[in-house]
Amino acid sequence: MADEPQKKPHLSALVGHTNGLTKPASLAATTTRAAGGGGGGGGANASSKKLVIKNFRERPKLPDNYTQDTWQKLHEAVGAIQSSISIKYNLEELYQAVENLCSYKVSATLYKQLRQVCEEHVKAQILQFREYPFLMHRNYSLDSLLFLKKINKCWQDHCRQMIMIRSIFLFLDRTYVLQNSMLPSIWDMGLELFRNHIISDKQVQTKTIDGILLLIERERNGEAVDRSLLRSLLSMLSDLQQVYKESFEQRFLEETNCLYAAEGQRLMQEREVPEYLHHVSKRLEEEGDRVITYLDHSTQKPLIACVEKQLLGEHLSAILQKGLDNLLDENRISDLTQTYQLFSRVKGGQQILLQHWSEYIKNFGTTIVVNPEKDKDMVQELLDFKDKVDHIIEVCFQKNEKFINLMKESFETFINKRPNKPAELIAKYVDSKLRAGNKEATDEELERILDKIMIIFRFIHGKDVFEAFYKKDLAKRLLVGKSASVDAEKSMLSKLKHECGAAFTSKLEGMFKDMELSKDVMVQFKQYMQNQSDPGNIDLTVNILTMGYWPTYTPMEVHLNSEMIKLQEVFKTFYLGKHSGRKLQWQTTLGHAVLKAEFKEGKKEFQVSLFQTLVLLMFNEGDEFSFEEIKMATGVEDSELRRTLQSLACGKARVLIKNPKGKDVEDGDKFIFNGDFKHKLFRIKINQIQMKETVEEQVSTTERVFQDRQYQIDAAIVRIMKMRKTLGHNLLVSELYNQLKFPVKPGDLKKRIESLIDRDYMERDKDNPNQYHYVA
């Protein structure tokens, strides 16, 4: 046999048991010499031979009746599967039979025959549903449920049958069908047949989808339903391609829309906001669970959007108007958290929540600030309110920057609705915290309080008012020795410097500097007094104040006793001897002393103001004096003397007895020394009067701020005009608003411009009265 080129072996195998089918012919083999020599072989040359495997020269023919008989067998097997009876043949044998037929080019016929058998079977199934009663019985839901179970059984049977059929015809599926892209796989063919002949039937489809929707509706109403049945049926609709999308989902979403639209309208009327929002959360959770359990995943987005729109989106304003203020008033943290989470899910939800949040802060804050009756507690209420909204932002609103920024803007808006007063009261609140005797807080707590105060302070426009009152109170704390802690004072100063700059605190820092220098001066003065021949009985301490740093005090001439006058002169000689060219002006209102007194009960010490000292020293000369006599002897101004006598005769520590009794000091009142005075303490502070602000003080401080503002406005106008030379009225006013750091009215600016024109700093244009020129 002649040599042929080597080819890959083609091995064919046909399984027997069929009518006289021959087994495959033996493999043909030839041997050749490796070196290409002549015919013989054996012996030593055997190792040089190689095996060559050749293809059949032609495929063996099938017996005439093989294809028909094999198909008959396969048909029987398919029929047995469809009838749920046992198959007579071995499955491996059937699989091999399909492979044999495919090998002999009968795949197309085999596929066609299989499809036909399957189609006939599926067509036959529709009859059971057509015969099924479609009339609406009294127990429609039961009828519907039975129908759904029947259609589900039909579907489950169909799937099971197609899986078995496919396993037999797998070779056909993986060869012929795979090579023909136009043909559906055996599984897909089965789906197509089920869709075309059963589910596409109008009555069957309507009844199926109606039944599914009825079950879902019952579940939404709180009934227990067969979820596995729903899952199976909806999975069926999904597997049948567009049936789920086109026939079920559209109707499902329409019904969901109607259900929740009606439910939203009804429950918004019936329920309070927290209960309503809880219901919305529950509904969203339920619908999410439906998607996980039995709906197709693609339905999740439109379904949740539908619930959100009908239960939330349509009622955003109504929910907030009805309940947000209550939730915030009552600090309902969990309900507010739920509100934020739900509103964040809906388009525009956060924005509308932001608006109502801002309005609430402005309205609530305004009630704190504008009511003069609340002035006493204004600052504490502001701090508490700020703590509350901070907590809500942190816990409920997830520290959302938009809510933080809008909160700040809202605070700034309402706190400046009443100019100047909040600034004044914040200064006084700080004073109350920094005074000696304030045992409410530890150093750490005090530091936290000051930090919170600074946040409120940041919102205020007229910071010069704060500065004026803070400066007045700081002066008293330092001079009357009522400051709780130098560290706390310096800490507050540092905070103000950081917030407003060095210029703002330069005078305040100067006050501390004066106090430090005064200590050094007093050390030198004490040494100076030791060298005097008559040092006297009074231990004098003097604070030297630089006039520009401290508040302006109105000098008050009073009648000091001779010993005090003598000491003043000694100090004056000492100080001016060291610092020539300086002038000392004594501030009697700020003086204080410690007096020793003897009563029947024993000795006491009184910490008193200079005015109280002068009054009490009179009682060394006599036991009773009239108001007029005291006034004449001390020289203290009328209203100040009345306050002083009131503190000594009408307060807690009544060193004097007023006759007649009464709260107010009137002309003609008599004052008697109280020899029976009793008190549990040895040293008694009666000079708190010095720390109390008088109405005159409050008015003069406010007036001083307004006066300073006029100077600042004048300076700003001149500065702008000097730079611009010529400027229109509106542009000048606009520039002033940018430069001035306190609130100002257009009318006030106009007055200052007129004043500067009158003083020849600027002039009006002859042709255009709204144009100004700088006068060099």
Side-chain angles (χ1 to χ4, degrees):
M1 201 181 277
D3 290 342
E4 287 184 2
Q6 271 186 272
K7 292 182 181 177
K8 289 183 181 175
H10 179 87
L11 305 177
S12 300
L14 297 175
V15 177
H17 308 295
T18 55
N19 305 321
L21 180 64
T22 55
K23 288 191 178 179
S26 335
L27 294 173
T30 62
T31 56
T32 57
R33 289 181 188 277
N45 292 326
S47 61
S48 63
K49 292 176 182 178
K50 62 179 179 179
L51 183 68
V52 177
I53 298 170
K54 297 182 179 180
N55 293 328
F56 288 123
R57 291 194 182 278
E58 58 183 59
R59 190 181 296 275
K61 287 184 180 177
L62 288 172
D64 294 339
N65 55 354
Y66 177 75
T67 305
Q68 189 180 344
D69 291 348
T70 305
W71 166 245
Q72 189 58 42
K73 260 176 67 178
L74 291 167
H75 188 191
E76 277 180 46
V78 170
I81 290 168
Q82 290 171 339
S83 304
S84 298
I85 57 175
S86 58
I87 306 166
K88 288 192 286 183
Y89 309 103
N90 181 296
L91 287 178
E92 193 177 336
E93 178 187 331
L94 294 172
Y95 178 88
Q96 194 65 59
V98 172
E99 190 175 336
N100 290 342
L101 291 177
C102 290
S103 299
Y104 281 89
K105 308 293 184 190
V106 286
S107 301
T109 309
L110 187 61
Y111 183 83
K112 196 174 177 183
Q113 287 170 321
L114 177 62
R115 182 186 172 94
Q116 192 176 348
V117 172
C118 291
E119 189 164 17
E120 285 167 4
H121 175 72
V122 172
K123 276 182 178 176
Q125 299 304 306
I126 195 69
L127 297 172
Q128 62 179 317
F129 301 113
R130 286 202 174 130
E131 290 163 4
Y132 201 85
F134 275 89
L135 294 171
M136 194 172 283
H137 294 172
R138 277 179 302 171
N139 198 345
Y140 173 68
S141 62
L142 178 63
D143 172 37
S144 175
L145 183 62
L146 291 171
F147 176 85
L148 290 181
K149 285 181 176 175
K150 202 171 181 82
I151 196 86
N152 184 51
K153 183 176 186 310
C154 179
W155 165 250
Q156 295 294 345
D157 289 347
H158 174 78
C159 291
R160 183 173 42 76
Q161 290 159 14
M162 289 311 299
I163 288 166
M164 288 190 72
I165 290 167
R166 182 177 176 269
S167 69
I168 292 170
F169 288 85
L170 191 61
F171 194 85
L172 176 69
D173 212 23
R174 288 185 173 172
T175 54
Y176 172 71
V177 176
L178 206 58
Q179 289 156 13
N180 290 271
S181 58
M182 300 303 287
L183 289 177
S185 68
I186 292 170
W187 175 259
D188 288 342
M189 173 193 70
L191 293 180
E192 188 183 298
L193 292 172
F194 195 88
R195 182 174 64 248
N196 292 345
H197 298 296
I198 295 180
I199 290 299
S200 290
D201 182 275
K202 209 160 195 177
Q203 282 186 324
V204 173
Q205 190 177 110
T206 305
K207 185 87 172 168
T208 304
I209 289 169
D210 282 353
I212 291 170
L213 291 171
L214 182 65
L215 275 185
I216 294 173
E217 184 188 337
R218 283 169 57 192
E219 189 183 47
R220 281 173 170 164
N221 290 334
E223 293 181 46
V225 298
D226 187 346
R227 293 185 128 202
S228 61
L229 177 62
L230 277 171
R231 181 165 57 245
S232 178
L233 291 168
L234 289 166
S235 174
M236 171 187 79
L237 296 183
S238 288
D239 290 344
L240 300 175
Q241 292 173 351
Q242 292 306 309
V243 180
Y244 182 91
K245 280 276 172 206
E246 291 171 4
S247 302
F248 167 74
E249 189 180 72
Q250 196 174 346
R251 274 192 61 194
F252 170 67
L253 291 173
E254 282 169 8
E255 291 200 6
T256 302
N257 211 47
C258 293
L259 169 77
Y260 288 125
E263 186 171 277
Q265 293 288 347
R266 188 181 81 254
L267 295 182
M268 271 302 293
Q269 301 296 322
E270 294 174 4
R271 298 193 179 183
E272 291 302 314
V273 167
E275 289 77 27
Y276 181 79
L277 292 175
H278 181 71
H279 176 78
V280 175
S281 288
K282 187 163 161 276
R283 281 303 203 193
L284 284 165
E285 199 177 310
E286 287 170 5
E287 296 303 338
D289 182 51
R290 276 186 194 101
V291 174
I292 294 165
T293 311
Y294 53 74
L295 292 168
D296 191 87
H297 185 69
S298 64
T299 308
Q300 181 174 19
K301 203 170 180 182
L303 172 61
I304 299 301
C306 171
V307 183
E308 288 172 349
K309 180 178 185 294
Q310 294 304 340
L311 293 183
L312 283 173
E314 297 292 326
H315 309 286
L316 291 175
S317 283
I319 289 168
L320 296 177
Q321 281 165 6
K322 186 178 179 182
L324 183 66
D325 285 8
N326 285 343
L327 297 184
L328 290 166
D329 285 343
E330 294 167 20
N331 211 24
R332 303 270 285 272
I333 296 298
S334 60
D335 292 329
L336 286 167
T337 305
Q338 190 171 54
T339 305
Y340 175 79
Q341 288 169 349
L342 290 173
F343 272 63
S344 297
R345 298 177 71 135
V346 188
K347 188 180 179 184
Q350 257 195 27
Q351 194 53 44
I352 200 162
L353 181 58
L354 271 167
Q355 289 165 12
H356 280 77
W357 165 247
S358 173
E359 286 306 310
Y360 174 81
I361 292 173
K362 286 176 193 169
N363 294 337
F364 192 91
T366 302
T367 60
I368 297 173
V369 169
V370 299
N371 186 358
E373 291 175 13
K374 284 193 169 187
D375 283 359
K376 187 183 173 189
D377 301 315
M378 182 201 288
V379 179
Q380 190 56 54
E381 284 191 29
L382 284 174
L383 290 172
D384 294 343
F385 184 46
K386 180 68 171 55
D387 282 347
K388 176 179 165 177
V389 296
D390 283 347
H391 184 65
I392 289 169
I393 287 172
E394 185 174 346
V395 178
C396 309
F397 299 161
Q398 296 174 6
K399 301 179 185 175
N400 187 317
E401 281 293 326
K402 290 179 183 174
F403 283 84
I404 294 171
N405 294 335
L406 199 60
M407 176 270 290
K408 289 176 181 175
E409 286 174 29
S410 305
F411 259 81
E412 192 174 340
T413 302
F414 79 70
I415 210 165
N416 291 297
K417 278 189 176 177
R418 186 180 176 195
N420 308 321
K421 197 66 181 178
E424 175 190 328
L425 293 173
I426 288 171
K428 289 175 179 174
Y429 184 86
V430 175
D431 174 56
S432 73
K433 295 297 172 190
L434 292 177
R435 274 189 198 184
N438 175 32
K439 306 296 183 191
E440 295 169 29
T442 62
D443 290 346
E444 291 80 10
E445 286 168 340
L446 181 59
E447 191 67 19
R448 276 200 296 277
I449 291 167
L450 295 180
D451 283 333
K452 286 178 181 179
I453 282 284
M454 289 309 299
I455 293 167
I456 301 291
F457 170 74
R458 205 168 286 154
F459 300 130
I460 288 167
H461 290 161
K463 291 183 170 64
D464 51 348
V465 175
F466 171 89
E467 183 195 12
F469 281 93
Y470 184 81
K471 184 177 172 182
K472 171 182 73 68
D473 293 332
L474 173 62
K476 283 189 176 181
R477 290 197 301 277
L478 294 177
L479 298 174
V480 184
K482 295 290 182 182
S483 184
S485 154
V486 174
D487 289 342
E489 294 284 5
K490 296 245 171 115
S491 171
M492 185 63 192
L493 205 59
S494 167
K495 293 180 202 301
L496 288 169
K497 191 172 188 176
H498 182 263
E499 185 62 35
C500 304
F504 187 86
T505 56
S506 61
K507 289 181 180 178
L508 303 176
E509 286 172 331
M511 291 162 72
F512 280 96
K513 205 172 182 180
D514 280 353
M515 295 304 289
E516 293 297 322
L517 290 171
S518 296
K519 285 179 185 174
D520 296 339
V521 169
M522 291 320 296
V523 169
Q524 294 167 11
F525 179 63
K526 281 183 170 51
Q527 290 172 347
Y528 176 80
M529 286 299 288
Q530 284 170 2
N531 298 327
Q532 298 295 309
S533 55
D534 181 16
N537 299 324
I538 301 173
D539 187 8
L540 178 68
T541 303
V542 181
N543 289 311
I544 312 295
L545 316 180
T546 307
M547 199 169 276
Y549 294 158
W550 297 77
T552 308
Y553 300 106
T554 307
M556 194 182 293
E557 292 295 329
V558 292
H559 305 150
L560 302 175
N561 64 26
S562 56
E563 206 168 344
M564 288 180 184
I565 294 169
K566 183 185 170 189
L567 260 176
Q568 268 188 343
E569 289 302 321
V570 172
F571 181 81
K572 191 174 177 182
T573 306
F574 157 76
Y575 186 77
L576 296 179
K578 280 181 169 294
H579 305 278
S580 58
R582 292 189 184 181
K583 184 184 175 187
L584 286 177
Q585 186 181 69
W586 297 93
Q587 297 292 348
T588 51
T589 53
L590 298 168
H592 57 97
V594 175
L595 285 183
K596 292 178 181 177
E598 286 190 29
F599 298 96
K600 289 176 184 174
E601 193 189 48
K603 291 182 179 180
K604 297 284 181 188
E605 283 187 1
F606 293 118
Q607 199 168 313
V608 282
S609 71
L610 180 61
F611 297 157
Q612 289 171 326
T613 304
L614 297 178
V615 170
L616 290 174
L617 288 176
M618 283 182 68
F619 288 89
N620 286 335
E621 311 299 325
D623 289 336
E624 183 180 322
F625 296 97
S626 68
F627 172 74
E628 286 73 18
E629 286 170 335
I630 296 171
K631 185 176 178 181
M632 183 72 69
T634 60
V636 177
E637 182 265 328
D638 190 280
S639 62
E640 196 61 52
L641 182 60
R642 287 178 197 272
R643 282 177 74 226
T644 302
L645 287 167
Q646 204 173 22
S647 69
L648 293 169
C650 309
K652 287 180 182 175
R654 299 188 178 184
V655 187
L656 303 179
I657 298 168
K658 185 171 91 72
N659 193 10
K661 291 179 179 179
K663 285 186 178 179
D664 298 319
V665 174
E666 305 290 349
D667 292 349
D669 283 355
K670 297 262 192 314
F671 294 89
I672 305 156
F673 181 72
N674 182 10
D676 297 324
F677 176 80
K678 290 180 181 179
H679 203 282
K680 59 182 179 181
L681 298 176
F682 173 69
R683 177 175 281 196
I684 303 133
K685 296 175 183 176
I686 314 178
N687 69 331
Q688 292 296 342
I689 183 174
Q690 284 182 292
M691 297 301 287
K692 284 182 183 172
E693 182 187 57
T694 62
V695 176
E696 292 81 11
E697 250 186 315
Q698 198 266 342
V699 170
S700 70
T701 306
T702 308
E703 281 176 356
R704 207 155 43 244
V705 171
F706 292 143
Q707 189 63 53
D708 287 345
R709 283 184 180 180
Q710 290 192 342
Y711 296 146
Q712 287 181 57
I713 295 169
D714 287 359
I717 294 170
V718 171
R719 196 163 52 243
I720 293 164
M721 290 306 300
K722 190 173 184 179
M723 189 170 67
R724 297 292 189 91
K725 306 300 182 199
T726 299
L727 203 59
H729 176 81
N730 290 341
L731 281 172
L732 175 58
V733 169
S734 176
E735 285 269 6
L736 285 168
Y737 277 129
N738 288 335
Q739 287 197 19
L740 297 170
K741 292 178 181 177
F742 48 82
V744 64
K745 294 173 185 170
D748 296 336
L749 295 180
K750 201 170 180 186
K751 282 179 190 170
R752 300 320 304 156
I753 290 168
E754 295 294 341
S755 169
L756 288 168
I757 291 170
D758 292 343
R759 287 181 281 158
D760 294 331
Y761 282 93
M762 54 199 278
E763 61 185 10
R764 272 199 173 83
D765 189 272
K766 289 170 186 174
D767 302 322
N768 182 0
N770 279 330
Q771 192 91 353
Y772 305 120
H773 301 291
Y774 176 67
V775 177

